[in-house]
Coordinates of all heavy atoms in Angstrom, one line a residue:
R1 N 93.1 -28.7 15.0 CA 93.0 -29.0 16.6 C 91.7 -28.5 17.1 O 91.1 -29.2 18.0 CB 94.2 -28.4 17.3 CG 95.5 -29.0 17.0 CD 96.8 -28.5 17.8 NE 96.6 -28.9 19.2 CZ 97.6 -28.8 20.0 NH1 98.6 -28.2 19.7 NH2 97.4 -29.1 21.3
C2 N 91.3 -27.4 16.8 CA 90.0 -26.8 17.1 C 88.9 -27.8 16.7 O 87.9 -28.2 17.5 CB 89.8 -25.4 16.5 SG 90.8 -24.2 17.3
E3 N 88.9 -28.3 15.4 CA 87.9 -29.1 14.9 C 87.8 -30.4 15.7 O 86.7 -31.0 15.8 CB 88.2 -29.5 13.5 CG 87.8 -28.4 12.4 CD 88.1 -29.1 11.0 OE1 87.2 -30.0 10.6 OE2 89.0 -28.6 10.3
A4 N 88.9 -30.9 16.1 CA 88.9 -32.2 16.8 C 88.3 -32.0 18.2 O 87.8 -33.0 18.7 CB 90.4 -32.6 16.9
E5 N 88.2 -30.8 18.7 CA 87.7 -30.7 20.1 C 86.2 -30.0 20.1 O 85.5 -30.2 21.1 CB 88.6 -29.8 20.9 CG 89.9 -30.3 21.1 CD 90.1 -31.6 22.0 OE1 89.0 -31.9 22.6 OE2 91.1 -32.2 21.9
A6 N 85.8 -29.4 19.0 CA 84.6 -28.6 19.1 C 83.3 -29.4 19.0 O 83.3 -30.5 18.2 CB 84.7 -27.6 18.0
E7 N 82.2 -28.9 19.4 CA 80.9 -29.4 19.4 C 80.2 -28.8 18.2 O 79.3 -29.5 17.7 CB 80.1 -29.4 20.7 CG 80.8 -30.0 21.9 CD 80.1 -29.6 23.2 OE1 78.8 -29.8 23.3 OE2 80.8 -29.3 24.2
M8 N 80.5 -27.5 17.9 CA 79.9 -27.0 16.8 C 80.9 -26.0 16.3 O 81.9 -25.6 16.9 CB 78.6 -26.2 17.2 CG 78.8 -25.1 18.2 SD 77.5 -23.9 18.2 CE 77.5 -23.1 16.5
R9 N 80.7 -25.6 14.9 CA 81.6 -24.6 14.4 C 80.7 -23.6 13.5 O 79.6 -23.8 13.0 CB 82.5 -25.4 13.3 CG 83.4 -24.5 12.5 CD 84.4 -25.3 11.6 NE 83.6 -25.9 10.5 CZ 83.7 -27.2 10.3 NH1 84.4 -28.1 11.0 NH2 83.1 -27.6 9.2
Y10 N 81.2 -22.4 13.4 CA 80.5 -21.3 12.8 C 81.6 -20.3 12.3 O 82.7 -20.3 12.7 CB 79.4 -20.5 13.6 CG 80.2 -19.9 14.9 CD1 80.6 -18.6 14.7 CD2 80.3 -20.6 16.0 CE1 81.2 -18.0 15.9 CE2 80.9 -19.9 17.1 CZ 81.3 -18.6 17.1 OH 81.9 -18.0 18.0
Q11 N 81.1 -19.4 11.3 CA 82.0 -18.4 10.7 C 81.8 -17.1 11.5 O 80.6 -16.7 11.8 CB 81.7 -18.1 9.3 CG 81.9 -19.3 8.3 CD 81.5 -18.8 7.0 OE1 80.7 -17.8 6.8 NE2 81.7 -19.7 5.9
V12 N 82.9 -16.4 11.9 CA 82.6 -15.1 12.6 C 82.1 -14.1 11.7 O 81.4 -13.2 12.2 CB 84.1 -14.6 13.1 CG1 85.0 -14.2 12.0 CG2 83.8 -13.6 14.1
E13 N 82.3 -14.3 10.3 CA 81.7 -13.3 9.4 C 80.2 -13.4 9.5 O 79.4 -12.4 9.0 CB 82.2 -13.7 8.0 CG 83.7 -13.4 7.7 CD 84.5 -14.7 8.0 OE1 84.1 -15.6 8.7 OE2 85.7 -14.7 7.6
A14 N 79.7 -14.6 9.9 CA 78.2 -14.8 10.0 C 77.8 -15.0 11.5 O 77.0 -15.8 11.7 CB 77.7 -16.0 9.2
F15 N 78.4 -14.3 12.4 CA 78.1 -14.4 13.9 C 76.8 -14.2 14.2 O 76.2 -15.0 14.9 CB 79.1 -13.4 14.6 CG 79.1 -13.7 16.0 CD1 80.0 -14.7 16.6 CD2 78.2 -13.1 16.9 CE1 80.1 -14.8 17.9 CE2 78.1 -13.3 18.3 CZ 79.1 -14.2 18.7
E16 N 76.1 -13.2 13.6 CA 74.7 -12.9 14.1 C 73.8 -14.0 13.6 O 72.8 -14.4 14.2 CB 74.3 -11.6 13.6 CG 74.9 -10.4 14.5 CD 74.3 -9.1 14.1 OE1 73.4 -9.1 13.2 OE2 74.6 -8.1 14.9
T17 N 74.1 -14.6 12.4 CA 73.3 -15.7 11.8 C 73.6 -16.9 12.7 O 72.5 -17.7 12.9 CB 73.7 -15.9 10.4 OG1 73.5 -14.7 9.5 CG2 72.8 -17.0 9.8
A18 N 74.7 -17.1 13.2 CA 75.0 -18.2 14.0 C 74.5 -18.1 15.4 O 74.6 -19.2 16.2 CB 76.5 -18.6 13.9
L19 N 74.1 -17.0 15.8 CA 73.8 -16.6 17.3 C 72.9 -17.6 17.9 O 73.1 -18.0 19.0 CB 73.5 -15.2 17.5 CG 73.6 -14.6 18.9 CD1 74.8 -14.8 19.5 CD2 73.2 -13.1 18.9
P20 N 71.8 -17.9 17.1 CA 70.9 -18.9 17.8 C 71.4 -20.1 18.2 O 71.3 -20.7 19.2 CB 69.7 -19.0 16.9 CG 69.8 -17.6 16.1 CD 71.2 -17.4 15.9
R21 N 72.3 -20.7 17.3 CA 73.0 -22.0 17.5 C 74.0 -21.8 18.7 O 74.1 -22.8 19.4 CB 73.7 -22.5 16.2 CG 72.7 -22.9 15.2 CD 73.4 -23.7 14.3 NE 74.6 -23.1 13.5 CZ 75.9 -23.4 13.4 NH1 76.2 -24.5 14.0 NH2 76.8 -22.7 12.8
I22 N 74.6 -20.6 18.7 CA 75.6 -20.5 19.8 C 75.0 -20.4 21.1 O 75.4 -21.2 22.1 CB 76.4 -19.1 19.5 CG1 77.3 -19.2 18.2 CG2 77.3 -18.8 20.7 CD1 77.8 -17.9 17.7
L23 N 73.9 -19.8 21.2 CA 73.1 -19.7 22.5 C 72.5 -21.0 22.9 O 72.5 -21.3 24.0 CB 72.1 -18.5 22.5 CG 72.7 -17.0 22.4 CD1 71.6 -16.1 22.4 CD2 73.7 -16.8 23.6
A24 N 72.0 -21.7 21.9 CA 71.5 -22.9 22.2 C 72.5 -24.0 22.8 O 72.2 -24.8 23.6 CB 70.9 -23.6 21.0
T25 N 73.9 -23.7 22.5 CA 74.8 -24.7 23.0 C 75.3 -24.1 24.4 O 75.7 -24.8 25.2 CB 76.1 -24.7 22.0 OG1 75.6 -25.1 20.7 CG2 77.2 -25.4 22.5
V26 N 75.6 -22.9 24.5 CA 76.2 -22.3 25.7 C 75.3 -21.6 26.7 O 75.7 -21.6 28.0 CB 77.3 -21.2 25.3 CG1 78.3 -21.8 24.2 CG2 76.7 -19.9 24.8
A27 N 74.2 -21.2 26.2 CA 73.3 -20.6 27.3 C 71.8 -20.6 26.8 O 71.3 -19.7 26.4 CB 73.7 -19.1 27.4
P28 N 71.2 -21.9 26.9 CA 70.0 -22.2 26.3 C 68.8 -21.2 26.8 O 67.8 -21.0 26.2 CB 69.6 -23.6 26.5 CG 71.0 -24.2 26.8 CD 71.8 -23.0 27.5
S29 N 68.9 -20.8 28.1 CA 67.8 -20.1 28.8 C 68.0 -18.5 28.4 O 67.0 -17.7 28.7 CB 67.9 -20.2 30.2 OG 69.2 -19.7 30.7
T30 N 69.0 -18.1 27.7 CA 69.2 -16.7 27.4 C 68.2 -16.3 26.2 O 68.2 -17.0 25.2 CB 70.7 -16.4 26.9 OG1 71.5 -16.8 28.0 CG2 70.8 -14.8 26.6
E31 N 67.5 -15.3 26.5 CA 66.6 -14.7 25.4 C 67.5 -14.0 24.3 O 68.4 -13.2 24.5 CB 65.7 -13.7 26.0 CG 64.7 -13.1 25.1 CD 63.7 -12.1 25.6 OE1 63.6 -12.2 26.9 OE2 63.0 -11.5 25.0
L32 N 67.2 -14.5 23.1 CA 68.1 -13.8 21.9 C 67.9 -12.4 21.8 O 66.7 -11.8 21.8 CB 67.5 -14.6 20.6 CG 68.2 -14.2 19.4 CD1 69.8 -14.6 19.5 CD2 67.6 -14.9 18.1
S33 N 69.0 -11.6 21.6 CA 69.0 -10.2 21.4 C 70.1 -9.9 20.5 O 70.9 -10.8 20.1 CB 69.0 -9.4 22.7 OG 70.1 -9.8 23.4
W34 N 70.3 -8.7 20.2 CA 71.5 -8.2 19.3 C 72.2 -7.0 19.8 O 71.7 -6.3 20.6 CB 70.8 -7.8 17.9 CG 69.9 -8.9 17.3 CD1 68.4 -8.8 17.5 CD2 70.2 -10.1 16.8 NE1 67.9 -9.9 16.9 CE2 69.0 -10.8 16.5 CE3 71.4 -10.8 16.5 CZ2 68.9 -12.0 15.9 CZ3 71.4 -12.1 15.9 CH2 70.2 -12.7 15.6
A35 N 73.4 -7.0 19.5 CA 74.3 -5.9 20.0 C 74.9 -5.2 18.8 O 75.2 -5.8 17.6 CB 75.4 -6.5 20.8
D36 N 75.0 -3.9 18.8 CA 75.6 -3.0 17.9 C 77.2 -2.8 18.2 O 77.6 -2.1 19.0 CB 75.0 -1.6 17.9 CG 75.5 -0.8 16.8 OD1 76.2 -1.3 15.9 OD2 75.3 0.5 16.9
L37 N 77.8 -3.7 17.6 CA 79.4 -3.8 17.8 C 80.2 -3.9 16.5 O 79.9 -4.7 15.7 CB 79.7 -5.0 18.7 CG 81.1 -5.3 19.3 CD1 81.4 -4.1 20.2 CD2 81.1 -6.6 20.0
P38 N 81.2 -2.9 16.3 CA 82.0 -3.1 15.2 C 82.8 -4.4 15.1 O 83.2 -4.8 16.1 CB 82.9 -1.8 15.3 CG 82.9 -1.4 16.6 CD 81.5 -1.9 17.1
A39 N 83.0 -4.9 13.9 CA 83.7 -6.2 13.7 C 85.1 -6.0 13.9 O 85.8 -6.9 14.1 CB 83.4 -6.6 12.3
N40 N 85.6 -4.8 13.8 CA 87.2 -4.5 13.8 C 87.4 -4.3 15.3 O 88.2 -3.2 15.6 CB 87.6 -3.5 12.9 CG 86.9 -2.1 13.2 OD1 85.9 -2.1 13.9 ND2 87.5 -1.0 12.7
T41 N 87.0 -5.0 16.2 CA 87.1 -4.7 17.7 C 88.7 -4.7 18.1 O 89.1 -4.0 19.0 CB 86.3 -5.8 18.4 OG1 85.0 -5.6 18.2 CG2 86.6 -5.5 19.9
N42 N 89.3 -5.8 17.5 CA 90.8 -5.9 18.0 C 91.6 -5.7 16.7 O 92.5 -6.6 16.3 CB 91.0 -7.3 18.5 CG 92.3 -7.5 19.1 OD1 93.1 -6.6 19.4 ND2 92.7 -8.7 19.3
S43 N 91.7 -4.5 16.0 CA 92.4 -4.3 14.9 C 93.8 -3.9 15.4 O 94.0 -3.3 16.5 CB 91.9 -3.1 14.1 OG 91.7 -1.9 14.9
R44 N 94.9 -4.3 14.6 CA 96.1 -3.9 14.9 C 97.0 -3.4 13.7 O 96.7 -3.7 12.5 CB 97.1 -5.1 15.4 CG 96.6 -5.6 16.8 CD 97.4 -6.6 17.2 NE 96.9 -7.1 18.6 CZ 97.6 -8.2 19.2 NH1 98.6 -8.8 18.6 NH2 97.2 -8.7 20.3
E45 N 97.9 -2.4 13.9 CA 98.7 -1.9 12.8 C 99.7 -2.9 12.1 O 100.2 -3.7 12.8 CB 99.4 -0.7 13.2 CG 98.5 0.4 13.8 CD 99.3 1.7 14.2 OE1 100.6 1.6 14.1 OE2 98.7 2.7 14.6
T46 N 99.9 -2.7 10.9 CA 100.8 -3.5 10.1 C 102.2 -3.1 10.6 O 102.7 -2.0 10.8 CB 100.8 -3.3 8.7 OG1 99.5 -3.5 8.2 CG2 101.9 -4.1 7.8
Q47 N 103.1 -4.3 11.0 CA 104.4 -4.1 11.5 C 105.6 -4.4 10.5 O 106.6 -4.1 10.7 CB 104.5 -5.0 12.7 CG 103.7 -4.6 13.9 CD 103.8 -3.3 14.6 OE1 104.9 -2.8 14.6 NE2 102.7 -2.6 14.9

């Protein structure tokens, strides 16, 4: 369903690599920069 609606697709595992394409789509005037952010932002315990 996401595929059917999306204008572009990228892997979250390669988020920084995809960032120029992401910004070109959502905020073309934004100057490219980088953030130091752990990938396990929303980790949850096994239930």
Side-chain angles (χ1 to χ4, degrees):
R1 294 183 68 172
C2 291
E3 281 191 67
E5 300 293 347
E7 300 172 46
M8 68 161 289
R9 181 173 70 236
Y10 63 90
Q11 299 176 350
V12 72
E13 295 91 341
F15 188 85
E16 290 192 348
T17 301
L19 192 55
R21 288 196 301 130
I22 295 171
L23 293 181
T25 302
V26 305
S29 61
T30 301
E31 184 176 344
L32 182 62
S33 59
W34 310 101
D36 183 16
L37 186 66
N40 61 341
T41 300
N42 190 19
S43 59
R44 292 186 181 179
E45 296 181 359
T46 301
Q47 297 296 325

